[in-house]
Amino acid sequence: MDYINTSRPQKIFSTIRDRIVYMEYPPGKLLPEKELCAEFKVSRTPLREAIQKLKEMKLVSVIPRFGTSVSPVDINEIRSAFEVKIKLEGLAGEVAAKRITADKLAEMKALIEKADALLKEDGQRRLIEIDTQFHEIIYQATQNQILQEMLQNLHGRCARLWNSALGEIIPLPTIISQLKEIHSSLEKRIRQEHAGLWRITCGISSIG
């Protein structure tokens, strides 16, 4: 299901989601509809469209006659989401390896170069953003809309805890190394497929 079908609700959704993920909007913070409409210069309809998706990702709670607030971090729920996410990301990797295109690989490589530059500065938040974009490319490369939507939902639900703990649990160079390994693996798969197609083409030509 396409929850966000216009650029304006998408921008509102992405902005509020990032504020929640990076704790600019802490758990329990009220999100007054009138103030948000004024900030984004929109009517209630696109705002509510964005809020609905945030609600379905369990990032906000909507209480009738009270309003919208940032949901608390539920460790048990996030653990469950992580368990599913790990399995689905494995599937996404398998499917993407068969379908990823050269331009998507180029996008991934460009992100890795940006990540390398962050080692020279304190770039934890920016690195998390790059990691998110990197995995989004993999989701898109699956060319499977259902799988992509499920992973986007799960990523959003896990992101707050992941964001707060990532730099403490995994050193930044290790994260970048993992991105490089994923890119190398996908790039190798494409080279193998191209070589296979070339052998088939040569075989057909020799028969002719």
Side-chain angles (χ1 to χ4, degrees):
M1 179 178 180
D2 185 12
Y3 300 95
I4 304 291
N5 51 26
T6 66
S7 59
R8 184 167 293 179
Q10 176 64 51
K11 179 180 179 181
I12 297 169
F13 161 74
S14 298
T15 301
I16 297 177
R17 178 202 59 200
D18 289 349
R19 290 174 183 176
I20 293 173
V21 166
Y22 296 109
M23 297 296 181
E24 294 175 30
Y25 286 171
K29 178 179 174 59
L30 292 176
L31 304 177
E33 185 177 81
K34 185 175 181 180
E35 292 181 13
L36 290 172
C37 284
E39 176 185 350
F40 293 106
K41 298 180 174 59
V42 295
S43 65
R44 290 181 297 179
T45 299
L47 176 64
R48 289 179 177 177
E49 194 174 332
I51 292 295
Q52 178 61 26
K53 184 173 183 180
L54 291 166
K55 178 184 175 183
E56 293 180 8
M57 294 177 73
K58 303 298 181 69
L59 293 178
V60 303
S61 301
V62 180
I63 301 176
R65 296 186 296 277
F66 178 74
T68 300
S69 63
V70 178
S71 300
V73 177
D74 186 329
I75 300 299
N76 290 327
E77 181 183 333
I78 290 176
R79 183 185 67 237
S80 298
F82 263 117
E83 290 173 351
V84 178
K85 183 173 180 285
I86 289 170
K87 293 294 185 181
L88 288 182
E89 287 202 327
L91 174 60
E94 292 176 12
V95 177
K98 299 175 182 177
R99 300 176 179 174
I100 195 165
T101 58
D103 61 320
K104 290 296 181 185
L105 281 171
E107 289 179 30
M108 294 171 76
K109 185 175 181 179
L111 287 173
I112 289 172
E113 291 172 354
K114 290 181 181 179
D116 273 330
L118 293 176
L119 290 176
K120 302 175 183 178
E121 55 187 87
D122 182 16
Q124 179 178 333
R125 169 168 174 168
R126 182 65 186 124
L127 179 57
I128 292 171
E129 292 173 349
I130 287 174
D131 185 87
T132 297
Q133 293 169 22
F134 188 91
H135 282 83
E136 177 64 27
I137 292 172
I138 296 175
Y139 303 162
Q140 292 172 1
T142 66
Q143 300 176 36
N144 184 315
Q145 188 65 29
I146 294 175
L147 182 57
Q148 184 177 338
E149 289 177 359
M150 291 175 70
L151 281 166
Q152 288 171 335
N153 184 299
L154 289 166
H155 186 86
R157 292 167 74 169
C158 298
R160 277 190 291 175
L161 182 63
W162 182 71
N163 170 53
S164 62
L166 181 61
E168 300 172 7
I169 296 174
I170 310 175
L172 300 189
T174 301
I175 299 169
I176 295 172
S177 177
Q178 290 173 351
L179 298 184
K180 290 179 178 179
E181 287 177 10
I182 294 171
H183 174 266
S184 177
S185 176
L186 292 172
E187 190 174 45
K188 183 178 179 181
R189 178 59 183 263
I190 275 200
R191 287 200 301 268
Q192 290 173 340
E193 289 189 353
H194 283 179
L197 288 172
W198 176 250
R199 285 194 294 272
I200 292 171
T201 301
C202 289
I204 293 173
S205 298
S206 63
I207 293 171

